Amino acid sequence: GRVRDSLAERADRERWVREIGTHMDLSPGPSSIEAIASPAAERLISLRDGIRRLAAEHTQDPRTLGQSPVPDVAAAMTIINSTSSLSSVWPELEWEDSTSRRRDVWAGGTYLDALCAVLARQMIDLSTSTQWDRLQPCLAPACAQFFVKDHVRRQWCGPNCGNRARVARHTQRRQGG
């Protein structure tokens, strides 16, 4: 029932990086993630805040929860562009059983820098794609996330937020407010 910043504490950041890393095709993988030192953690949090500022400006996000400390779009773009160049990362094509797939390979720098570079590049790709116009803030109680609205009836970032919003609406109706 409360908001928790997944990047606030060192152990939480390392858990988040491992979890996100396992979902991305970034080789070599997150199996040997080094402890996230303070400068790298600051870069990760700065990237998150830059992405949040850009998304909030684009969607005219009415929420104060999770508001970005990045002052404006120009500063957000500077953060995203500089993070995109943190590490040598390039796409590679793999072919298996007549199916091709893309994976990102990195060399030089730390795994976290490579992960941040890929995330920054994904933000650049999103903001220049047709999906950018479908980006929405999740207006469920205690949620600070954004999502791409891929269905006309979709209102929240995920099922848990949908459940929280419906419970909040039900509670409000029962209390007569």
Side-chain angles (χ1 to χ4, degrees):
R2 62 184 175 127
V3 179
R4 189 171 74 73
D5 183 351
S6 296
L7 303 180
E9 301 295 325
R10 185 179 187 140
D12 292 335
R13 281 190 297 271
E14 290 171 3
R15 187 178 318 103
W16 186 88
V17 167
R18 274 191 192 85
E19 187 174 312
I20 293 301
T22 59
H23 295 293
M24 299 180 80
D25 285 326
L26 184 59
S27 296
S31 58
S32 62
I33 293 176
E34 65 283 348
I36 299 174
S38 185
E42 289 170 16
R43 284 192 300 272
L44 177 62
I45 291 167
S46 178
L47 175 61
R48 187 255 330 255
D49 293 341
I51 290 170
R52 182 173 295 285
R53 167 57 63 203
L54 214 55
E57 290 290 328
H58 177 69
T59 62
Q60 299 176 347
D61 186 1
R63 305 169 298 177
T64 56
L65 178 66
Q67 209 165 37
S68 175
V70 175
D72 55 36
V73 170
M77 287 191 316
T78 299
I79 291 166
I80 292 166
N81 288 335
S82 64
T83 304
S84 173
S85 68
L86 278 177
S87 179
S88 297
V89 179
W90 60 91
E92 216 173 64
L93 185 63
E94 286 188 335
W95 188 267
E96 187 175 311
D97 297 329
S98 301
T99 304
S100 62
R101 78 179 187 107
R102 172 199 167 128
R103 73 178 181 137
D104 290 304
V105 179
W106 63 279
T110 66
Y111 178 81
L112 183 60
D113 284 345
L115 180 66
C116 286
V118 169
L119 291 172
R121 291 172 190 178
Q122 287 178 346
M123 179 58 188
I124 292 168
D125 290 345
L126 173 63
S127 66
T128 58
S129 76
T130 57
Q131 289 185 329
W132 186 240
D133 289 332
R134 296 193 317 249
L135 188 70
Q136 299 286 316
C138 181
L139 300 178
C143 185
Q145 296 192 60
F146 293 86
F147 66 97
V148 174
K149 188 171 182 165
D150 54 5
H151 189 276
V152 69
R153 293 182 59 196
R154 186 171 178 187
Q155 298 179 39
W156 304 287
C157 66
N160 289 339
C161 280
N163 289 338
R164 257 196 332 274
R166 285 187 284 277
V167 167
R169 250 193 339 245
H170 174 76
T171 302
Q172 190 174 27
R173 278 194 308 265
R174 291 203 49 154
Q175 292 175 349

